[in-house]
Amino acid sequence: MDKRTELLAFGKALKRIRKDNKYTQDELSLYSRVDRSFISELENGEKSATFLTIVALTKALHVPVSEFMVEYEREIRELEN
């Protein structure tokens, strides 16, 4: 699996969970203190997040990191098929 696939899977998982919470990127940025443009780059698979950024995002989304990783793995499987 290449890095691009991993970044795309991460972004799709983040976007899905954000939309499930009915948050805009601006709202997620406000609650997580992660820049909105960086959230956009994450969701588009253009950038990678540090662990501390993932923690900030999942806290703002009220989702355990482990649950986020389950979503990430689901997206990986979908992209590989």
Side-chain angles (χ1 to χ4, degrees):
M1 167 181 359
D2 66 2
K3 182 178 179 180
R4 179 76 177 145
T5 301
E6 292 175 359
L7 292 175
L8 286 171
F10 181 92
K12 289 180 77 168
L14 178 59
K15 187 173 186 175
R16 179 186 300 174
I17 294 169
R18 176 179 61 78
K19 288 190 171 210
D20 286 350
N21 278 277
K22 297 180 173 52
Y23 286 170
T24 64
Q25 287 180 348
D26 286 326
E27 290 169 323
L28 180 54
S29 175
L30 177 67
Y31 303 143
S32 67
R33 298 181 153 214
V34 174
D35 189 81
R36 191 218 48 86
S37 63
F38 189 62
I39 291 171
S40 176
E41 291 171 323
L42 290 172
E43 289 185 356
N44 291 318
E46 298 166 2
K47 298 277 176 131
S48 61
T50 66
F51 181 72
L52 292 178
T53 299
I54 294 167
V55 169
L57 291 168
T58 57
K59 279 185 180 180
L61 292 166
H62 310 289
V63 173
V65 173
S66 58
E67 186 177 322
F68 181 85
M69 289 299 135
V70 168
E71 289 299 315
Y72 163 78
E73 292 291 335
R74 183 176 295 130
E75 292 295 343
I76 287 283
R77 286 191 299 274
E78 285 184 25
L79 287 170
E80 289 179 332
N81 290 331

